[in-house]
Amino acid sequence: MDAPVFAGLETVTDAASSTCSLDLTWSAATTACPGPITYSVYRSMTAGFTPGAQNLVRSGLAGTQVTDSSGLISGAEHYYIVRAKDGTTGNDDGNLDEVVGTPTGPVTLGTWTDDAGDTGAALLALDAPWSVDATGGNFGPKVYATGTYADNLCVGAVTPSLHLGSNAQLSFYSAYDIEDNWDKGEVQISSNGGGAWTRLEVGYPGTATNTSDACNLGLGDFFSGTDATFDQYSASLAAWAGQDVMIRWQFSSDAAENGTGWWIDDISITNVEVPGTCDTVTGAVFLDGFESGTTSNWSYTGP
Ligand SMILES: [Ca+2]
Ligand SMILES: [Ca+2]
Ligand SMILES: [Ca+2]
């Protein structure tokens, strides 16, 4: 056998430090040749790249991990391949196993807000007939609304995935005109990317005594009935500390009768972890051979 047996690069982890840095790990290769085995690290900003001298950033490594902090760009995806080389034959294993990493700065806690697009973008993903109405909002004019709804609907308005710190708190404003007792609105949370949803207790203002709604939300307290003026509702998200979550406003109607809908605005989630930006270490680029080869695919945006 001329080449080492090597499973390739395994992990690329963001160091989340003030200077952009990624930690790479792999498991040791084996070889029938005398060795010694060393490892070479290749990096590209493009997926599916071909390892070669022009993208070799480290070589001759004896260990099974390395920290790369040379010329990394904050928030950008960097693609890596690691190959094992036998010192006797000079052959490497030739793998193309690519792992991607994105360097960021230290994580800070911030408040995530969505006012349906009055400031910044409206970020909820909406199942029709949920939409952003240009008028009728709480503090500002824009608002998430179902409008007058159809029968047998089970439709959600969902936040992007958010990484929670400890003791996060959800609050939002809502008004509603939902067929009392029969149709329902419920606020839910998922910690597995939307695969399963758990009801959040937000201080529901109404009660439903029927179970024939399309989402089958069950009996109990919901947004059900009518209150045409906005009030604030809230729930603790402390039980989901450290997790990636999505929040959903789930609307459920039954087979007859309807109202003018459900309005959601001025959503706020405290203690969401927000990755900061990191600084590119430029001086070390030259240690990695970037002074030669093709550099036309590289750009650098300063802070
Ligand atoms: Ca608004
Ligand atoms: Ca009210
Ligand atoms: Ca109904």
Side-chain angles (χ1 to χ4, degrees):
M1 297 297 289
D2 289 327
V5 176
F6 180 47
L9 176 60
E10 292 177 353
T11 65
V12 176
T13 306
D14 177 21
S17 56
S18 57
T19 55
C20 295
S21 188
L22 294 168
D23 298 322
L24 285 64
T25 68
W26 54 90
S27 297
T30 58
T31 180
C33 302
I37 290 173
T38 60
Y39 302 92
S40 301
V41 177
Y42 303 86
R43 184 182 82 201
S44 174
M45 304 302 284
T46 307
F49 74 103
T50 302
Q54 73 278 11
N55 48 45
L56 177 67
V57 293
R58 298 289 174 88
S59 61
L61 299 173
T64 58
Q65 63 181 58
V66 71
T67 296
D68 185 23
S69 54
S70 301
L72 301 184
I73 297 167
S74 184
E77 292 186 334
H78 297 69
Y79 298 86
Y80 288 91
I81 291 171
V82 173
R83 287 182 170 176
K85 181 178 180 177
D86 186 278
T88 304
T89 64
N91 293 332
D92 74 31
D93 71 293
N95 82 80
L96 290 169
D97 298 336
E98 208 171 82
V99 181
V100 64
T102 302
T104 71
V107 170
T108 56
L109 290 178
T111 298
W112 186 88
T113 61
D114 188 330
D115 59 8
D118 291 312
T119 57
L123 296 172
L124 299 194
L126 304 174
D127 295 333
W130 277 110
S131 67
V132 174
D133 279 5
T135 59
N138 177 42
F139 293 131
K142 294 182 179 177
V143 60
Y144 293 105
T146 64
T148 298
Y149 54 85
D151 297 331
N152 295 316
L153 283 180
C154 180
V155 290
V158 189
T159 68
S161 181
L162 301 167
H163 191 74
L164 300 183
S166 58
N167 294 317
Q169 179 90 7
L170 166 70
S171 72
F172 61 96
Y173 285 81
S174 182
Y176 55 98
D177 177 36
I178 298 172
E179 188 200 1
D180 194 19
N181 285 328
W182 296 87
D183 300 336
K184 306 160 187 172
E186 183 175 82
V187 187
Q188 304 169 335
I189 187 168
S190 174
S191 58
N192 66 353
W197 295 90
T198 300
R199 172 184 164 100
L200 285 173
E201 296 303 334
V202 299
Y204 293 94
T207 301
T209 53
N210 297 282
T211 59
S212 53
D213 57 295
C215 300
N216 194 23
L217 294 178
L219 300 175
D221 294 340
F222 297 96
F223 287 92
S224 188
T226 299
D227 180 347
T229 60
F230 283 93
D231 292 292
Q232 190 175 27
Y233 300 87
S234 63
S236 170
L237 305 179
W240 291 270
Q243 299 185 41
D244 293 314
V245 304
M246 299 155 75
I247 308 291
R248 177 166 81 175
W249 286 263
Q250 184 80 329
F251 177 79
S252 183
S253 62
D254 73 345
E257 302 297 322
N258 46 44
T260 54
W262 194 13
W263 292 264
I264 303 295
D265 204 356
D266 297 311
I267 303 161
S268 159
I269 303 173
T270 66
N271 292 6
V272 173
E273 292 191 350
V274 182
T277 56
C278 54
D279 296 327
T280 300
V281 178
T282 53
V285 169
F286 295 97
L287 298 176
D288 285 325
F290 273 70
E291 74 277 21
S292 62
T294 302
T295 58
S296 59
N297 288 336
W298 288 84
S299 62
Y300 167 66
T301 303

